[in-house]
Structure formats: structure tokens, C-alpha cells
Amino acid sequence: MKLSEVKKLLNADVIFGEEVIDQVEVETAFASDLLSDVLAYSKENALFLTGLTNPQVIRTVEVLDLVGVVFVRGKVPQMETVELAKRKGIPLLRTKCILFETCGRLYGAGIKASRIMVD
Amino acid sequence: MHPVQFYHLKGKDFFNAGRTSTTIKRFLREKEYPPQVIQRVAIIAYEAEINIVCYTDYGYFFLYFLDDRVRIVVKDRGQGIEDIDQAMQEGFSTASDEIRKLGFGAGMGLANIKKNADKLHIQSVPGVGTVLKIDVLVNSEGRSDSMATTLREIMTRADLENLTEGLDIDKVVTGGYAGDLLSDVNANSSAGNVWVTVLTHPNVTAVAGLKDLTGVIIAGGIRPGADFVEKAYAEKIPIMFTEMSAFDVVAMLSTLGVSGNS
């Protein structure tokens, strides 16, 4: 599905990337508040769901070639984080849903896990 | 392409943590490395960078582009690792709250590096710093199980003159040390190192023997005398000779992935 549909499903605000959300395709997602776990287990092209708000979120997205970030639980990313995302062209969404609800809505709509289980 | 890239990293610079790794990633992409290799090197570099930011005063990366692999050497000055086996375990962490707030410090860093590396070697001195040597193989062809370079390879690459025919030049070179002060080399070189020097005093071989070095490269074109060579045979230390300057010899060693001592 397109990122614009993710936005609708989650009642999300677009913090950055309004002009690309109709183009970015989302098939898988990874949810975590531990960046090392994302680095260890996520595959590329996943949408990243997290409650973390610091710039390392964006660095992680860049290192892994993820497609974008949804900040959950109403978290507002730090200004530096948004600035960095703008420079790198990484779309950012924000939802008031908790992480469980966010995952549930996306899963129900056909988004699959970036990785089902760890080895 | 430069055969070696260098990046300096500041400790405690949380805002920029990750910047160097993404630079490295872009660089590898421009060089058209396979995506899998790029990803693995980027993850390794990122975790190493986070460790430098979190636990050290400063650190630096050397990136070597060798025939069949990318080699990353990470050195830092910082708290070091007390127990490497423990630090390698998933979940073990000494992270502060500040680090945990960033989403790190869950004890996955070194484990992540190991997972993405084909070869990993860690040396650490608590209170001083840590050296990581990591190899990521570019393809499975010509896969070799070692990170090793030998004196023979070095000799062949730079057409060095072997002054001690018959001595073993197939031992693994663990790193390099350059210096013309015997006491300095005695203090700071490690077993298995190759030593680059312009000295031609026979005591060179004594120090090399004492420190169990794999060999000595006499740079600068001043040829050692017969007494030197005789002592080298007695100590079983292979001696190579070249007219190249010491600086150029070290630069040449870099292109073979030989890194400096901690």
C-alpha cells in the first residue's frame, strides 16, 4: 500500500514528506524502540514504527534503506531529527496510536513483518 | 579509488553519531559494491561508530578496499572492554541512561558487528582503548579463512629484496610498527608485527627476536652489513630490503590491509 494509506489507517500527521506519501510503497514494517535490534533484524524497504525521537532514528533508516518512520504514542521527533530527515528525504508520520494498535491496524490491512522471527 | 579511507570520530558527539557510517555507505554505493556487502559494512560501521560516541574520547576508522574483501579497522581511546567474551553476548551492556535513551545500549552492538562480519578480531586494554579488525568478503569466490597477510605477499607486491633467504616468510603478519628508536619498538610493537625501520644496527634483530616479530623491512636504501644479516639468521628474523622510504613502505603495507599496532 502507499504511505498515504498508512496515514489514513493510523489517523497520522505527516511531519515531513507530504509530497511523496502517494509514491512511497509500503509492504513490510518493523517495530522497535531498540535501534540495535532494528539493525540486527530488519530488512530493507520496511516502514519503521518507533517511539524513539532522536536523530539516530534517521541514521538507522538510512543505513538500512528503510522507507520511512511512523512515530507512535504521539511522540514528537526532535527538531534535529526532522531536519536530518528533510536532508535525507525520509518521510515522517506521527500517530497517537500506541505501538500495538499501530501494528494491528497495519497488519490487518495487509502489511507484513519485515522479519517474522529471529534465528 | 583510494585503497584506504580514513575517518576520525569524536566521542560524546551524539548528534553526529551515524554520520560517518552513512558517508561510508554512500561511498560504497558509488563504488558499486554488491548491496549485501554495502548493508553489512554500513551496519558494522554504524554500531562501531555508536560505540565510539558512547564509550570513548575519540576513535578512527580505516577502511581498506582489498581484492576480495572490505576491511574495517576501528581504533579508539576510551574505557576499553574488561571482558570481551562477556561483551560479545547479546544483552550484555554497560550503557548509561543517556545511551539507552537513544535506543542503544541494549547489548547488541558487538554481537551485531560479529553477525555481519566474516572475520572479527578484537583487542582491548581496559582504560586505554579497543581495536576491532573486521573483514567483509565481497564474494564467495576465492574465500580464504584468514585475515592474514604474509611477509611473502608483501615482498612480492613491492619487490622487496630478501636478505635472509631460507628463513620463514609465510607466517601471519598481525600488523605493523614503524620506528627508529629501539626502546620505542621494544615498548610498543606486538608479536607478529612487521617492523619498518631505516636502522641498520645489528641490535635491530635482537629487538625483533625479543618481540617475536615476523620480519623487518629496512627502508631508505641503506643496506645493512654482513654482521646484521648474520645476527638475523641467528635470531631467525627475516629481513627485507628496499630503497623505498619508510613512509612509502608503510603506505604500501596499508594497501595490503596491514594495519598499525593499537
Side-chain angles (χ1 to χ4, degrees), chain B:
Chain B
M1 166 174 30
H2 294 294
V4 186
Q5 295 283 318
F6 174 84
Y7 303 91
H8 191 269
L9 299 134
K10 277 190 210 152
K12 312 292 176 282
D13 181 7
F14 287 99
F15 175 64
N16 283 310
R19 191 177 193 168
T20 299
S21 315
T22 48
T23 305
I24 289 171
K25 182 169 186 182
R26 269 199 306 281
F27 184 82
L28 291 170
R29 202 175 263 160
E30 279 164 23
K31 302 300 170 200
E32 295 178 347
Y33 273 87
Q36 275 239 306
V37 171
I38 297 174
Q39 190 86 313
R40 289 165 60 201
V41 172
I43 291 173
I44 289 165
Y46 191 32
E47 290 284 10
E49 193 175 352
I50 293 295
N51 281 346
I52 287 175
V53 170
C54 292
Y55 302 112
T56 79
D57 300 325
Y58 67 90
Y60 44 90
F61 287 177
F62 281 102
L63 221 62
Y64 300 87
F65 302 98
L66 306 175
D67 293 340
D68 61 342
R69 63 193 67 199
V70 178
R71 172 167 298 167
I72 311 149
V73 175
V74 184
K75 298 188 180 191
D76 68 56
R77 283 285 174 266
Q79 67 187 49
I81 302 168
E82 291 280 351
D83 181 340
I84 291 172
D85 288 339
Q86 194 179 34
M88 293 300 298
Q89 286 167 22
E90 288 187 10
F92 178 81
S93 177
T94 58
S96 65
D97 284 350
E98 190 183 15
I99 295 163
R100 289 175 200 270
K101 256 188 248 164
L102 290 178
F104 289 100
M108 290 294 289
L110 281 176
N112 254 358
I113 289 174
K114 189 178 180 190
K115 200 173 114 184
N116 284 287
D118 287 301
K119 290 281 155 195
L120 167 64
H121 179 77
I122 305 180
Q123 254 180 302
S124 191
V125 180
V128 178
T130 302
V131 181
L132 305 179
K133 289 186 194 178
I134 302 141
D135 277 4
V136 175
L137 297 174
V138 171
N139 54 41
S140 49
E141 289 161 42
R143 232 172 213 260
S144 92
D145 277 339
S146 83
M147 295 173 80
T149 303
T150 60
L151 203 55
R152 184 183 300 282
E153 278 177 71
I154 295 166
M155 176 183 82
T156 310
R157 177 71 69 99
D159 198 24
L160 305 178
E161 184 184 337
N162 187 352
L163 300 184
T164 51
E165 289 288 346
L167 291 185
D168 184 5
I169 55 172
D170 294 306
K171 274 189 255 172
V172 171
V173 172
T174 56
Y177 199 80
D180 302 322
L181 281 174
L182 295 180
S183 53
D184 170 53
V185 177
N186 198 23
N188 295 314
S189 66
S190 305
N193 283 181
V194 60
W195 174 14
V196 182
T197 183
V198 298
L199 289 175
T200 55
H201 192 281
N203 281 352
V204 163
T205 60
V207 170
L210 193 69
K211 298 291 289 191
D212 206 12
L213 305 184
T214 44
V216 180
I217 301 176
I218 308 289
I222 297 172
R223 194 174 279 275
D227 53 341
F228 185 106
V229 174
E230 199 178 306
K231 250 194 119 186
Y233 273 113
E235 296 277 359
K236 296 195 172 57
I237 295 294
I239 307 295
M240 300 285 159
F241 173 75
T242 178
E243 290 184 347
M244 288 163 75
S245 70
F247 185 96
D248 284 349
V249 171
V250 172
M252 175 274 291
L253 289 173
S254 262
T255 68
L256 287 168
V258 176
S259 59
N261 224 14
S262 56

Side-chain angles (χ1 to χ4, degrees), chain A residues 3-15 18 21 70-71 92-97 105:
Chain A
L3 199 53
S4 48
E5 279 178 68
V6 172
K7 171 190 145 93
K8 271 184 225 147
L9 281 167
L10 301 175
N11 262 336
D13 305 325
V14 180
I15 299 169
E18 190 71 64
I21 58 170
V70 178
F71 296 101
L92 306 179
L93 272 59
R94 171 177 167 262
T95 177
K96 289 184 176 164
C97 295
R105 288 190 190 186

Side-chain angles (χ1 to χ4, degrees), chain A residues 38-90:
Chain A
V38 187
L39 288 166
Y41 303 124
S42 181
K43 295 180 180 159
E44 59 184 10
N45 297 325
L47 180 64
F48 182 27
L49 318 175
T50 189
L52 291 168
T53 58
N54 60 66
Q56 275 65 47
V57 168
I58 307 303
R59 304 284 186 198
T60 303
V61 166
E62 208 188 354
V63 163
L64 289 171
D65 287 322
L66 307 183
V67 294
V69 183
V70 178
F71 296 101
V72 300
R73 302 188 290 271
K75 299 278 181 190
V76 180
Q78 296 165 19
M79 211 166 62
E80 294 90 338
T81 307
V82 178
E83 285 306 313
L84 192 60
K86 283 181 182 169
R87 281 218 302 279
K88 307 290 181 185
I90 293 162

